[in-house]
């Protein structure tokens, strides 16, 4: 019923984000009701996720839906995937960028005291999130307190310095936690984008990340200070944290500005994606 209703409304284009199982039925229903409406699918996630059978099936299904003219075009936010998708499957694909949270009242933060550092290492305890390397690096800083989602995941480390959340956090609560930290770490092995990093910057808290998402491609200053190249090296991460502390206020200020610029880039990229 929903697909038929959307089709009857005669949109030129409809953009869908994500790929839950019911989307295929929805796409086919819209197309059956109106073959002139162009359907676009924004497909998030890096290729590393294709180790999952569900994701492998989804990528093949998306290609088949474009071939059969049910979908008009598929978008990828991971650099390089659109080009690969077009060449391997021979179908219409393009790139887009994720829109980021912008804090309306964010102000630049002043440099914290090294011996009272609050470090956030938030994320799920899965291999690609690289949590344990980051927590170990944070503990190398004198008297630091490391905030994590689940303290039990780090039972082998000094419990007095690990602070865990109690229960799930809402998005607004999570943003408060990011802002309460002196620095956040989000050094994943594989990421389609890295919203935790940009959300942290939006609230004024510097966040170390990796180069695998290209978040800082548009700003060499932030890239120099916040991108860790040797991100599976505990000591290298610790040294990068210390480097951030030496230029803290400028990084905090520039991070707030840059998130707004990223959103402007995302708008331009989406416009291009829809016009090709």
């Amino acid at each position: 019923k929903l697909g038929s209703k959307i089709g009857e409304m005669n949109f030129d284009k409809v953009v869908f984000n994500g790929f839950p199982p019911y989307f295929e039925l929805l796409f086919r229903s819209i197309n059956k009701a109106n073959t002139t409406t162009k359907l676009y699918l924004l497909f998030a996630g890096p290729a590393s996720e294709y180790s999952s059978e569900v994701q492998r099936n989804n990528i093949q299904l998306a290609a088949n839906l474009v071939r059969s003219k049910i979908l008009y075009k598929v978008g990828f936010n991971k650099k390089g995937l659109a080009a690969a998708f077009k060449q391997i499957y021979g179908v219409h694909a393009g790139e887009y960028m994720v829109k980021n949270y912008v804090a309306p009242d964010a102000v630049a933060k002043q440099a914290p005291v090294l011996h009272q550092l609050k470090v956030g290492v938030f994320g799920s305890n899965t291999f690609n999130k690289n949590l344990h390397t980051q927590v170990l690096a944070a503990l190398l800083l004198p008297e630091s307190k490391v905030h994590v989602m689940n303290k039990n995941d780090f039972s082998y480390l000094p419990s007095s310095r690990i602070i865990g959340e109690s229960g799930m956090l809402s998005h607004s609560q999570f943003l408060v936690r990011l802002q309460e930290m002196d620095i956040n770490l989000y050094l994943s092995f594989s990421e389609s984008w890295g919203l935790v990093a940009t959300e942290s910057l939006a609230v004024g808290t510097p966040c170390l990340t990796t180069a695998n998402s290209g978040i800082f491609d548009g700003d060499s200053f932030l890239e120099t200070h916040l991108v860790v190249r040797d991100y599976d090296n505990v000591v290298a991460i610790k040294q990068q944290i210390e480097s951030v502390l030496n230029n803290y206020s400028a990084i905090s200020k520039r991070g707030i500005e840059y998130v707004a610029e990223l959103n402007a880039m995302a708008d331009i990229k989406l416009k291009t994606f829809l016009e090709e």
Side-chain angles (χ1 to χ4, degrees):
K1 287 181 179 179
L2 178 59
S4 297
K5 184 65 177 176
I6 293 172
E8 291 167 4
M9 297 176 77
N10 292 315
F11 291 112
D12 293 327
K13 303 169 184 177
V14 182
V15 183
F16 294 85
N17 188 21
F19 203 4
Y22 62 86
F23 265 19
E24 181 187 5
L25 176 61
L26 193 57
F27 297 152
R28 292 185 182 278
S29 300
I30 296 169
N31 185 258
K32 184 178 180 180
N34 187 336
T35 58
T36 63
T37 297
K38 292 179 179 179
L39 305 181
Y40 295 75
L41 174 65
L42 303 182
F43 201 103
S48 60
E49 292 181 354
Y50 301 164
S51 58
S52 158
E53 184 177 0
V54 171
Q55 291 292 69
R56 290 197 299 272
N57 291 340
N58 279 349
I59 203 73
Q60 288 180 298
L61 177 57
N64 290 336
L65 288 170
V66 179
R67 284 197 192 106
S68 60
K69 301 188 185 305
I70 304 297
L71 277 176
Y72 180 71
K73 191 175 184 181
V74 179
F76 297 87
N77 67 339
K78 184 68 172 179
K79 290 189 299 184
L81 277 187
F85 193 81
K86 283 193 287 189
Q87 183 171 331
I88 292 168
Y89 288 105
V91 296
H92 212 188
E95 291 187 350
Y96 75 98
M97 277 176 63
V98 173
K99 290 291 286 277
N100 304 279
Y101 169 79
V102 175
D105 302 317
V107 293
K109 299 167 71 172
Q110 298 301 309
V113 178
L114 175 61
H115 287 265
Q116 299 173 5
L117 212 61
K118 295 167 66 175
V119 184
V121 185
F122 299 116
S124 58
N125 188 27
T126 54
F127 167 75
N128 70 302
K129 296 304 181 186
N130 192 24
L131 292 189
H132 293 265
T133 302
Q134 297 170 81
V135 169
L136 288 168
L139 288 175
L140 295 182
L141 299 159
E143 301 178 40
S144 61
K145 300 290 185 181
V146 188
H147 296 247
V148 298
M149 296 305 294
N150 187 350
K151 184 174 181 175
N152 294 332
D153 294 332
F154 305 95
S155 57
Y156 63 97
L157 296 173
S159 60
S160 61
R161 296 181 61 192
I162 306 289
I163 299 170
E165 293 293 339
S166 55
M168 294 292 292
L169 298 176
S170 67
H171 185 240
S172 59
Q173 290 171 325
F174 184 64
L175 292 172
V176 169
R177 290 293 182 278
L178 292 177
Q179 191 170 34
E180 288 173 342
M181 298 300 109
D182 295 312
I183 189 168
N184 291 303
L185 309 182
Y186 198 70
L187 299 153
S188 63
F189 292 131
S190 179
E191 197 77 33
S192 62
W193 179 244
L195 278 175
V196 172
T198 53
E199 287 177 338
S200 180
L201 293 182
V203 297
T205 306
C207 183
L208 295 189
T209 186
T210 56
N212 64 48
S213 295
I215 292 174
F216 299 118
D217 285 357
D219 191 284
S220 58
F221 173 75
L222 291 176
E223 181 181 35
T224 298
H225 287 90
L226 298 180
V227 172
V228 181
R229 303 295 175 182
D230 194 4
Y231 52 87
D232 201 21
N233 181 333
V234 172
V235 173
I237 297 171
K238 179 246 189 184
Q239 291 172 341
Q240 193 87 9
I241 294 171
E242 292 172 332
S243 175
V244 168
L245 297 179
N246 291 330
N247 210 352
Y248 190 91
S249 297
I251 294 170
S252 175
K253 180 178 182 295
R254 179 60 190 141
I256 294 169
E257 298 168 347
Y258 186 60
V259 171
E261 293 174 16
L262 283 174
N263 281 354
M265 295 179 205
D267 286 336
I268 293 170
K269 206 155 196 173
L270 182 60
K271 188 173 185 290
T272 302
F273 172 72
L274 293 174
E275 287 179 347
E276 285 181 9

